[in-house]
Amino acid sequence: MTNKVLLLSIFLLLFSTGANAQLNQSDTLYKTILEKDSLLFSVGFNTCDISQFENLLSDKLVFMHDKDGVSNKQQFLNNIKNGLCKNPSVRQVKRVLQNESVTVYPLYRNGVLYGAVQNGSHLFYDPTGSTPGIAKFSNVWQLENGSWKLAISSSFDHRPYSGDIKPISLDNDAAVENWLKQNNVKTLGLGIIEGGKLKQVKVYGTLKDSVQAPFNTVFNVASLAKTVTAMVTLRLVSLGKWNLDEPIYHYWIDKEVKNDPRHKKLTTRMILSHQSGFPNWRYLNKSNTLSFEFEPGTKYQYSGEGFEYLRKALEAKFKKPLEQLAKELIFQPMGMHDTSYLWNEREYESRFATGYNSDAKPYINAKNKTANAADDLHTTVADYGVFLTSVLSGNTLSEEVYREMIKPQVKTKDNKYFGLGFELYDLGDKEYAISHGGSDNGTQCLTFLLPKTNSGIIMFTNSDVGYRLYNELLVYYLGAKGKKLIEIESNN
């Protein structure tokens, strides 16, 4: 194929996207492509981790640069290794994606997704302070044996950058504030655990009406409610008041499954490891009723309904609402005075991080008057940091119960498992991470604990696009382990 034919075919592929509409930023494919971009550049390019390039570049890569010409995969890798990454300890250039510029279009063949076009702009800057450059790019990502690979990439229109927004420096609060604006995220809550203690709590950004977010900003952390429900339950197990493997029907039977004999097989262990057999939520069923989708205990399926089933069983036995059980067993003993399953108008009016969509439009706040065991927990970074340090130490659980909590109960993806209430990442060399996230309208939150080093990170945001911040924060604060976590997540 001649160079002219090659360039023409690439041009047509990159720019003939009218048949498929541009994806919304909340679309799963959009998030996937942004995740691959971050793994390739935030981890690979910016830290000179050449293995990330080798994993994410197609063997048939065509890379076009408006100053350096056309390269194949091997030429591109050689240029990186012998040029920008020849001496990683004195790294000269870093790349920062301008998130607001990114558009993603799906590519289909006979109705089957096979690729995606990603267009946008990115900055390249010298961390020592010289004027950054800016360029446009077009990337074609292609599915190869089920994995996303960069197949075609062009970088063009390179010029000096004269904008006001500076690249991120996580050591500089003003730069972080600008970084949030670049990513259209209103508020970031950040907690850093070192030596088994919460060493750092920072809250960046603004609340409603551009009011600076305070240190004790209250976030809706969505599914992180499940971790508290799990610890309430495991605390009761440790005290000998609840049994992991006793059938739940002894205390509660939902009327919508009472005629299905499978309800007699359901146990707390199955619920906490997401093997209940229930859908995530009953309203997702056409009948809008609860039903078993498979035999309890036979496979993994994430389910909020399971946790709500457990809540009703706990409340039936102990004659107390979950909120009270949590106060007695978790919140009050740990001094978590800013944490609740319930909405508190008086406390939250001036310091609650209202959730926003990808266009920075606010959602209506969920104001629960009854605890949801699986969703809508309200807490601060400081409170949840205290909670996670307790999880890390295991000091509120018996040794036997703690071992069960961190034991892989079911495999969910490659190198990922669910224990009891928490997700587990296999980092290799007998090292693992304990994790859970929260994702809902107007909230994206993620936490990781590293027991081997007694360290961890808490990331709370009040935006549908808060996930954009994760990879930079993980690499910056957790280093090689952060990179490994990103790699595991990206490969699934």
Side-chain angles (χ1 to χ4, degrees):
M1 181 182 289
T2 66
N3 284 341
K4 287 185 178 180
V5 174
L6 173 64
L7 293 176
L8 177 60
S9 64
I10 291 172
F11 178 86
L12 291 173
L13 185 56
L14 287 174
F15 298 106
S16 298
T17 57
N20 295 306
Q22 175 183 331
L23 296 177
N24 187 283
Q25 294 177 355
S26 62
D27 188 274
T28 300
L29 178 57
Y30 183 98
K31 293 180 181 180
T32 297
I33 297 303
L34 267 289
E35 183 180 84
K36 300 301 178 184
D37 179 286
S38 182
L39 189 64
L40 185 66
F41 286 99
S42 297
V43 177
F45 186 85
N46 289 348
T47 67
C48 284
D49 187 340
I50 304 301
S51 66
Q52 293 302 326
F53 283 101
E54 294 174 333
N55 291 336
L56 286 168
L57 299 182
S58 170
D59 290 338
K60 299 177 182 179
L61 172 75
V62 176
F63 176 68
M64 296 177 291
H65 193 281
D66 61 356
K67 299 186 183 300
D68 297 330
V70 181
S71 305
N72 60 27
K73 180 178 181 178
Q74 194 56 53
Q75 291 168 330
F76 178 79
L77 290 174
N78 287 339
N79 289 339
I80 293 290
K81 291 177 183 177
N82 300 320
L84 295 172
C85 292
K86 186 174 183 179
N87 187 352
S89 64
V90 289
R91 188 78 170 91
Q92 294 299 308
V93 179
K94 288 197 173 184
R95 181 262 199 180
V96 173
L97 178 66
Q98 290 195 302
N99 282 286
E100 71 279 5
S101 73
V102 175
T103 57
V104 176
Y105 298 85
L107 296 174
Y108 294 94
R109 181 187 295 114
N110 298 325
V112 178
L113 180 73
Y114 74 90
V117 178
Q118 175 198 12
N119 299 323
S121 299
H122 45 194
L123 297 171
F124 294 90
Y125 73 100
D126 178 349
T128 61
S130 64
T131 302
I134 187 171
K136 297 176 182 177
F137 70 89
S138 286
N139 291 334
V140 175
W141 295 86
Q142 187 170 331
L143 277 170
E144 297 182 1
N145 298 319
S147 298
W148 287 100
K149 303 287 185 179
L150 183 61
I152 304 171
S153 180
S154 62
S155 186
F156 52 93
D157 194 23
H158 288 79
R159 62 193 189 281
Y161 178 65
S162 57
D164 295 329
I165 298 176
K166 297 181 183 299
I168 179 177
S169 170
L170 290 173
D171 291 323
N172 184 300
D173 287 358
V176 174
E177 298 282 354
N178 280 331
W179 183 47
L180 297 186
K181 292 176 183 177
Q182 288 183 61
N183 285 282
N184 213 15
V185 175
K186 293 282 187 181
T187 318
L188 165 66
L190 183 65
I192 304 301
I193 296 170
E194 296 175 352
K197 296 181 179 180
L198 185 63
K199 291 288 190 178
Q200 199 176 143
V201 174
K202 289 189 175 183
V203 179
Y204 302 95
T206 59
L207 302 181
K208 59 184 179 181
D209 303 322
S210 298
V211 175
Q212 187 67 32
F215 173 86
N216 62 343
T217 293
V218 175
F219 292 84
N220 180 336
V221 295
S223 288
L224 291 184
K226 295 182 179 72
T227 62
V228 174
T229 302
M231 287 301 290
V232 167
T233 307
L234 295 176
R235 179 78 178 125
L236 290 168
V237 174
S238 293
L239 294 170
K241 297 180 178 181
W242 193 257
N243 189 313
L244 281 172
D245 299 306
E246 182 181 10
I248 295 287
Y249 81 90
H250 290 167
Y251 306 104
W252 170 257
I253 303 171
D254 191 294
K255 63 181 181 180
E256 293 178 358
V257 298
K258 68 178 181 179
N259 294 323
D260 188 326
R262 288 178 290 187
H263 80 266
K264 292 189 174 182
K265 298 182 178 181
L266 188 60
T267 67
T268 298
R269 184 187 300 274
M270 295 172 189
I271 288 173
L272 294 183
S273 59
H274 292 279
Q275 299 181 81
S276 66
F278 293 140
N280 192 13
W281 296 110
R282 69 184 71 194
Y283 68 77
L284 297 174
N285 291 333
K286 290 182 179 180
S287 63
N288 198 32
T289 58
L290 185 64
S291 61
F292 287 99
E293 297 186 347
F294 55 87
E295 194 80 10
T298 59
K299 64 179 181 178
Y300 165 80
Q301 179 168 277
Y302 192 80
S303 175
E305 287 289 354
F307 275 69
E308 275 286 83
Y309 207 101
L310 176 60
R311 171 179 70 84
K312 293 168 185 176
L314 291 170
E315 292 178 342
K317 177 175 181 179
F318 295 103
K319 311 302 180 186
K320 297 177 181 179
L322 178 60
E323 176 75 8
Q324 185 176 344
L325 288 170
K327 281 183 178 180
E328 294 175 0
L329 296 167
I330 305 293
F331 300 157
Q332 290 176 350
M334 295 185 188
M336 296 170 65
H337 304 302
D338 277 332
T339 303
S340 177
Y341 292 95
L342 310 180
W343 177 260
N344 187 323
E345 189 74 43
R346 181 175 59 84
E347 288 292 329
Y348 300 163
E349 182 178 5
S350 63
R351 55 190 179 100
F352 183 75
T354 294
Y356 290 83
N357 67 15
S358 58
D359 296 321
K361 302 297 183 183
Y363 287 105
I364 296 174
N365 295 326
K367 299 183 178 182
N368 293 353
K369 294 183 179 180
T370 300
N372 184 324
D375 199 11
D376 293 329
L377 182 75
H378 301 103
T379 190
T380 64
V381 175
D383 264 20
Y384 200 77
V386 169
F387 173 75
L388 283 187
T389 58
S390 176
V391 172
L392 191 58
S393 69
N395 60 11
T396 62
L397 303 179
S398 68
E399 184 177 344
E400 179 183 358
V401 171
Y402 186 78
R403 284 199 304 268
E404 290 296 325
M405 184 187 81
I406 61 173
K407 173 184 174 181
Q409 303 285 333
V410 61
K411 185 174 182 178
T412 60
K413 296 178 180 177
D414 289 344
N415 299 308
K416 290 178 66 177
Y417 305 83
F418 244 99
L420 297 180
F422 291 89
E423 198 161 22
L424 307 173
Y425 285 68
D426 183 354
L427 302 179
D429 297 325
K430 298 182 179 180
E431 188 169 3
Y432 66 98
I434 302 171
S435 176
H436 208 291
S439 177
D440 213 338
N441 286 339
T443 181
Q444 291 283 329
C445 305
L446 186 60
T447 66
F448 285 102
L449 295 173
L450 300 172
K452 186 174 182 179
T453 56
N454 266 336
S455 58
I457 187 169
I458 300 163
M459 299 173 286
F460 292 169
T461 76
N462 64 334
S463 170
D464 284 353
V465 294
Y467 61 85
R468 292 173 174 174
L469 310 182
Y470 292 164
N471 287 0
E472 291 278 2
L473 294 170
L474 286 172
V475 172
Y476 186 83
Y477 285 104
L478 300 185
K481 296 298 182 293
K483 290 164 64 175
K484 180 65 175 179
L485 289 167
I486 295 168
E487 181 181 350
I488 291 172
E489 194 60 42
S490 178
N491 289 337
N492 283 289

